[in-house]
Amino acid sequence: QVQVVQSGAEVKKPGASVRVSCRVPGYTLTDLSIHWVRQAPGKGLEWMGGFDPEYDEMIYAEKFQGRVTMTEDTSTDTAYMELSSLRSEDTALYYCATDVAVVGAVPAFGLWGQGTLVTVSS
Amino acid sequence: VLTQSPGTLSLSPGERATLSCRASQSVTSSYLAWYQHKPGQAPRLLIYGASSRATGIPDRFSGSGSGTDFTLTISRLEPEDFAVYYCQQYGRSPLTFGGGTKVEIK
């Protein structure tokens, strides 16, 4: 059973940054298109960004441009999502999502991590 | 923009559920997916490519549509099907999710 493993819950103060990690044990990042989706309390799913293998670049939702950075460490096959200038509205469950059956294109998300709760509070 | 309707669907087990997803512009190559989301769980992919069932998804779930209008049909609701359902387009950036349809027990 393929799993997606994310880092643990975080509590941050307003204005700080948070970094969440994501791994798919048994798979290399070069074979995956990792994306990040969040869900704030009582809200729907919101795509934040991810890797587009067709253009070999990270793509971001306009809402997060300038505040989010998504990176990949190929030496450890770990993807990271860093969100800066945190505010209370960023309190949410952050998911890493991908699919191992699709190579070379953005996939529908057949695999999801367990979610990482980020709480922003003073 | 993806607009889902209705916002809430109140039905009984055994009934048929029809969920709609309308896009503001044509979805590239029918790259339209449907997900089921229950509290405390990660979303679950049901349908990709507008009409292909994901691995392990029961055949009571079916997807149809093209262009700007898509439908998820659950032929006979089972107790475990009561959840929130989202459509998503993944054919072009930015990827987008619809606002969701909650299927609740009547």
Side-chain angles (χ1 to χ4, degrees):
Chain A
Q1 183 100 7
V2 182
Q3 288 191 316
V4 179
V5 181
Q6 296 184 221
S7 50
E10 303 266 10
V11 179
K12 296 291 182 182
K13 293 193 181 303
S17 297
V18 68
R19 192 175 78 157
V20 181
S21 70
C22 169
R23 291 186 304 114
V24 184
Y27 289 85
T28 59
L29 279 183
T30 52
D31 292 334
L32 302 172
S33 173
I34 300 284
H35 290 254
W36 296 88
V37 176
R38 78 177 188 180
Q39 184 178 38
K43 303 290 187 181
L45 300 176
E46 182 174 34
W47 176 78
M48 300 179 67
F51 183 69
D52 186 344
E54 185 175 359
Y55 297 99
D56 197 26
E57 64 181 6
M58 288 295 180
I59 51 177
Y60 300 115
E62 186 174 353
K63 174 178 179 176
F64 300 102
Q65 289 273 7
R67 213 162 61 91
V68 72
T69 304
M70 295 174 187
T71 55
E72 297 182 343
D73 182 344
T74 53
S75 68
T76 60
D77 287 315
T78 302
Y80 297 95
M81 185 283 297
E82 183 167 6
L83 188 62
S84 62
S85 303
L86 289 169
R87 33 209 189 231
S88 58
E89 310 89 88
D90 294 317
T91 293
L93 193 55
Y94 289 76
Y95 291 103
C96 162
T98 187
D99 197 296
V100 298
V102 177
V103 177
V106 173
F109 302 150
L111 284 175
W112 294 70
Q114 79 276 20
T116 297
L117 181 61
V118 175
T119 303
V120 183
S121 173
S122 55
Chain B
V1 176
L2 295 179
T3 302
Q4 291 188 240
S5 61
T8 302
L9 204 48
S10 297
L11 295 167
S12 300
E15 290 194 291
R16 181 185 188 89
T18 303
L19 287 66
S20 173
C21 176
R22 177 162 291 178
S24 58
Q25 54 186 303
S26 185
V27 175
T28 304
S29 302
S30 293
Y31 285 162
L32 192 286
W34 289 93
Y35 299 86
Q36 178 190 68
H37 197 195
K38 296 179 181 179
Q41 299 182 19
R44 177 191 182 197
L45 176 66
L46 300 173
I47 301 288
Y48 65 94
S51 60
S52 298
R53 267 188 302 276
T55 303
I57 301 304
D59 61 8
R60 64 179 181 273
F61 292 93
S62 63
S64 63
S66 63
T68 60
D69 288 293
F70 298 87
T71 301
L72 174 70
T73 302
I74 310 172
S75 59
R76 288 181 320 279
L77 282 165
E78 297 287 340
E80 62 268 27
D81 298 336
F82 292 92
V84 179
Y85 291 83
Y86 294 94
C87 60
Q88 177 212 28
Q89 74 79 20
Y90 57 101
R92 72 172 78 189
S93 180
L95 280 64
T96 48
F97 286 95
T101 291
K102 181 179 181 180
V103 178
E104 65 176 22
I105 300 176
K106 187 175 181 179

